[in-house]
Amino acid sequence: MKIGVLALQGDFEEHLRALEKCGVERMAVRLPQELDEVGGLIIPGGESTTIGKLMDRYGISEKIRQRHAEGMPIYGTCAGLILLAKEIVASQQTRLGLMNITVERNAYGRQIDSFEADVLAPRLGEVPLRAVFIRAPVVREVASSVEVLATHDNVPILIQEGNLLASSFHPELTDDLRVHRYFLDTVRKSL
Ligand code: GLN
């Protein structure tokens, strides 16, 4: 099992390092054909408009959609979550549009651009997760097919829909590997 990290822009190095700590094979993915080598894909945090434009330039969006339709799990963090969303409030930006959620970018407000919080995610164990938010999107709506695994102030922050996992925070910036391990379990089950 090998996991790909979309490495067009953003904090893909941190995800590769988290995967290394999980002891799993991993590779940076930029080209469409590289997706044939991986069983799962992580879309990192960064700038979703930039990553979206680069995905078009590298011609990789269609291939991601195709691999997803074949059952490949995808995990998006922050900008990655935005790119997975079907609806982005007041934005026409390029997206994969695979997940039945509505998100609003940078919606936590300027004063709290970045913050951290301890949140409970019962499926990942009793110990709270340290969630790091950086200009994070707010998940405004989720379809009934979307499972909410963690919330902060009643806003979903860790969600799953079938083989799609998304967080508005950045577990790759902490030493807690539980969200990555949870994704790896999803990939294992999909193989
Ligand atoms: N604010 C960024 C965006 O809208 C996301 C920030 C992040 O990924 N940390 O794309």
Side-chain angles (χ1 to χ4, degrees), residues 59-123:
I60 200 170
S61 308
E62 214 31 63
K63 182 73 182 186
I64 293 175
R65 285 194 199 96
Q66 181 203 323
R67 293 285 290 116
H68 172 253
E70 292 165 4
M72 179 189 74
I74 305 175
Y75 169 33
T77 56
C78 203
L81 174 148
I82 296 167
L83 287 159
L84 285 176
K86 279 216 167 120
E87 300 291 336
I88 307 172
V89 173
S91 172
Q92 301 302 319
Q93 71 191 80
T94 303
R95 71 204 68 174
L96 292 164
L98 296 172
M99 203 172 199
N100 288 297
I101 57 174
T102 300
V103 304
E104 187 172 352
R105 295 176 63 204
N106 304 321
Y108 281 98
R110 278 199 170 275
Q111 276 89 41
I112 48 165
D113 249 6
S114 300
F115 62 100
E116 297 187 15
D118 287 321
V119 298
L120 287 171
R123 204 173 296 176

Side-chain angles (χ1 to χ4, degrees), residues 45-49 77-79 82 105-106 134-136 170:
E47 195 54 45
S48 58
T49 48
T77 56
C78 203
I82 296 167
R105 295 176 63 204
N106 304 321
I134 303 168
R135 293 185 304 113
H170 292 272

